[in-house]
Amino acid sequence: LEQVPLPLDLVATQKAKQDDPSALHVVLFQEIERYNIMLKNVRKHLTELRKAVKGIVVMTAELDDIFICLFDGRIPATWLKGYPSLKPLAPWAADLIERIQQLSSWAEGTYPVVYNMGYFTFPTGFLTAVLQTSARKNSVSIDMLSWEFVVNTQELKDITAPPKEGVYVGGMFLEGAGWDNELCWLQEPNAMELTLSMPVIQFKPSESKKKSGKGIYPCPCYYYPIRTGTRERPSYMITIDLKSGKFEADHWIKRGTAIQLSLMT
């Protein structure tokens, strides 16, 4: 219970950001609202469970299920309504703290230099907000914009300023392939290497969309390892164009190469 982050102050954040009514701040407010509901729910269940274990209140069937899940190191189903995850309980709790830290530092300061897209409950809403921001800035229709992807060769710690256009996105994982940092293309993975951390990628809204030509692999990006997702929450987010390297795109399609925003561990 002590490790669960406190809910963020949505009203104070809205007041602090009222001078900048950007689409990205709308995403921030919505994310804070969703995470607050989830955090209050988790804290409420843990408080009641502590009382039930002491015999102060009745142990309901729901509390009993939560107790068994915590004992087994699993995430209770009622806590997964905010966003899907396949992590065990301990990594999930650490991941939750990092998610809240990203939102908290954004709420208290300015826009993050590098966004972790996997920390949003609805990354598609964030991507639409980036397109909206670019469309307003350049006075073009949002329908005219598409994505251009630039893989950054700098280390995460060396990136100190946001790009002139679009956003930097980090915290992504490549599955089913290796990555050549010097040539910025896909390569065969090392032995026993199932996933690896991707470099930071600049998501750049562009009017003139180049067709995925030869040497480009349209790599699907998924929210979590179950690629099909559910009917209510699809896992597929976006297709990211990556250089296919010494192989044709078909090679990586057969490998099932994809980018994940979160892993099982």
Side-chain angles (χ1 to χ4, degrees):
L1 181 60
E2 282 75 25
Q3 291 178 353
V4 179
L6 290 166
L8 299 168
D9 193 335
L10 178 59
V11 177
T13 305
Q14 286 173 329
K15 281 182 182 175
K17 307 288 184 189
Q18 63 187 359
D19 296 334
D20 183 7
S22 78
L24 284 168
H25 279 155
V26 174
V27 171
L28 173 64
F29 302 149
Q30 289 173 343
E31 290 291 326
I32 287 175
E33 202 170 347
R34 291 192 199 105
Y35 274 113
N36 280 354
I37 291 168
M38 180 184 164
L39 291 172
K40 285 171 185 170
N41 191 30
V42 172
R43 293 184 76 85
K44 177 182 158 219
H45 282 146
L46 289 175
T47 305
E48 287 179 357
L49 183 61
R50 186 180 273 181
K51 288 178 181 175
V53 169
K54 288 178 180 176
I56 300 169
V57 297
V58 177
M59 177 78 86
T60 62
E62 185 184 34
L63 288 177
D64 193 41
D65 287 341
I66 291 169
F67 180 78
I68 292 167
C69 285
L70 295 181
F71 185 78
D72 292 343
R74 291 181 289 117
I75 312 164
T78 51
W79 295 2
L80 286 173
K81 287 178 181 175
Y83 59 91
S85 177
L86 298 181
K87 292 177 184 288
L89 184 63
W92 176 83
D95 180 65
L96 177 62
I97 292 167
E98 286 177 12
R99 286 166 179 260
I100 300 303
Q101 280 173 348
Q102 173 172 283
L103 288 181
S104 178
S105 58
W106 184 3
E108 292 166 10
T110 182
Y111 298 101
V113 175
V114 179
Y115 294 86
N116 191 321
M117 204 160 69
Y119 288 174
F120 292 105
T121 53
F122 282 92
T124 45
F126 164 70
L127 292 173
T128 306
V130 175
L131 287 177
Q132 279 180 329
T133 306
S134 183
R136 288 175 190 170
K137 181 180 167 187
N138 299 309
S139 303
V140 294
S141 166
I142 192 171
D143 299 330
M144 302 286 290
L145 294 175
S146 53
W147 290 107
E148 201 177 303
F149 303 98
V150 182
V151 180
N152 208 306
T153 52
Q154 288 178 289
E155 290 286 323
L156 180 61
K157 61 180 183 295
D158 297 331
I159 300 170
T160 54
K164 290 179 182 176
E165 197 66 56
V167 291
Y168 286 134
V169 176
M172 295 184 286
F173 304 93
L174 183 64
E175 184 180 41
W179 184 257
D180 190 317
N181 284 316
E182 289 180 10
L183 297 169
C184 284
W185 65 25
L186 294 168
Q187 64 177 15
E188 286 293 317
N190 297 325
M192 304 300 288
E193 187 179 59
L194 300 178
T195 57
L196 57 90
S197 291
M198 271 298 284
V200 173
I201 298 178
Q202 181 185 354
F203 282 53
K204 186 178 174 185
S206 167
E207 277 188 80
S208 55
K209 169 67 176 170
K210 298 171 189 165
K211 286 191 177 178
S212 296
K214 205 172 179 185
I216 297 293
Y217 169 56
C219 183
C221 175
Y222 298 98
Y223 191 70
Y224 67 125
I226 297 180
R227 298 188 180 188
T228 50
T230 61
R231 193 174 59 186
E232 296 80 18
R233 288 296 300 267
S235 185
Y236 171 77
M237 293 290 124
I238 190 173
T239 298
I240 298 172
D241 292 339
L242 299 174
K243 290 180 185 174
S244 58
K246 297 176 183 175
F247 302 94
E248 291 294 316
D250 289 355
H251 175 80
W252 303 114
I253 292 170
K254 288 171 186 170
R255 284 285 173 91
T257 301
I259 284 176
Q260 305 278 2
L261 296 181
S262 70
L263 300 176
M264 295 178 71
T265 53

